[in-house]
Amino acid sequence: MSLLERLNQDMKQAMKNKEKDKLAVIRMVKASLQNEAIKLGKQELSAEEELTVFSRELKQRKDSLQEFSKADRLDLVEKTQAELDILTVYMPKQLTEEELTAIVQETIAEVNAVSKADMGKVMAAIMPKVKGKADGALVNKTVAGQLS
């Protein structure tokens, strides 16, 4: 089942259960997916493109959550956290720290990286492997730790 089909089913269920917050988040994500399809001039997005849109939505909410926390806006923190919880259900299982470290070490060996100067090469090679499965900041931190 594609992500869009799953979103449609969950949207219908949210309507039936009168879950307004969940319904709003699903509609927002569906709109983002449709906008991306229009931007790319396609009828349907590939699974990878859908994942890219979802990752972008998650990152926006995580950034907002940090800003709202800094500003002591607890009402917005709670709302944004609820949106994040709904969105994470649709993401692939996240890699553990050990799995990520193993992938980083394997990629460093593949590209023959030896110092922090090779960080760009490693990041370019590793990001397609962990797309949607690990946060970019965590990947960056792990790569930097392995190269130092």
Side-chain angles (χ1 to χ4, degrees), residues 11-25:
M11 188 169 80
K12 289 175 189 173
Q13 195 61 45
M15 283 182 201
K16 288 178 185 175
N17 296 342
K18 296 183 177 19
E19 298 172 293
K20 290 181 182 179
D21 294 337
K22 185 174 184 179
L23 184 61
V25 172

Side-chain angles (χ1 to χ4, degrees), residues 19-20 42-45 52-53 55 67 72-73 75 87 101 123 130-131 136 142:
E19 298 172 293
K20 290 181 182 179
K42 296 182 173 184
Q43 286 293 321
E44 289 185 27
L45 296 174
T52 301
V53 172
S55 297
E67 293 300 317
D72 281 335
R73 291 293 311 266
D75 55 330
L87 286 175
T101 303
M123 290 299 290
V130 298
K131 187 174 197 156
T142 307

Side-chain angles (χ1 to χ4, degrees), residues 96-124:
T96 64
E97 211 167 310
E98 295 80 31
E99 292 170 329
L100 181 60
T101 303
I103 292 171
V104 167
Q105 289 171 344
E106 178 184 308
T107 307
I108 288 172
E110 283 175 17
V111 297
N112 298 321
V114 290
S115 69
K116 285 203 181 221
D118 299 323
M119 183 117 172
K121 283 196 300 189
V122 176
M123 290 299 290

Side-chain angles (χ1 to χ4, degrees), residues 1-122:
M1 173 185 335
S2 80
L3 187 58
L4 198 55
E5 291 169 350
R6 187 171 166 208
L7 283 170
N8 284 329
Q9 282 183 344
D10 289 353
M11 188 169 80
K12 289 175 189 173
Q13 195 61 45
M15 283 182 201
K16 288 178 185 175
N17 296 342
K18 296 183 177 19
E19 298 172 293
K20 290 181 182 179
D21 294 337
K22 185 174 184 179
L23 184 61
V25 172
I26 292 173
R27 284 181 172 159
M28 209 177 324
V29 171
K30 280 188 64 179
S32 294
L33 289 169
Q34 287 175 324
N35 288 339
E36 187 72 12
I38 291 168
K39 183 175 133 187
L40 297 175
K42 296 182 173 184
Q43 286 293 321
E44 289 185 27
L45 296 174
S46 69
E48 188 174 313
E49 291 165 337
E50 288 176 341
L51 190 60
T52 301
V53 172
F54 250 89
S55 297
R56 187 179 323 133
E57 291 291 320
L58 272 173
K59 183 171 180 357
Q60 286 175 352
R61 281 167 181 77
K62 285 179 183 176
D63 292 346
S64 296
L65 192 65
Q66 287 178 339
E67 293 300 317
F68 295 148
S69 294
K70 286 180 191 173
D72 281 335
R73 291 293 311 266
L74 297 180
D75 55 330
L76 295 174
V77 167
E78 289 174 17
K79 181 179 182 284
T80 307
Q81 184 60 53
E83 289 178 5
L84 264 172
D85 294 342
I86 292 168
L87 286 175
T88 52
V89 170
Y90 299 99
M91 292 299 288
K93 181 182 172 288
Q94 297 294 297
L95 294 171
T96 64
E97 211 167 310
E98 295 80 31
E99 292 170 329
L100 181 60
T101 303
I103 292 171
V104 167
Q105 289 171 344
E106 178 184 308
T107 307
I108 288 172
E110 283 175 17
V111 297
N112 298 321
V114 290
S115 69
K116 285 203 181 221
D118 299 323
M119 183 117 172
K121 283 196 300 189
V122 176

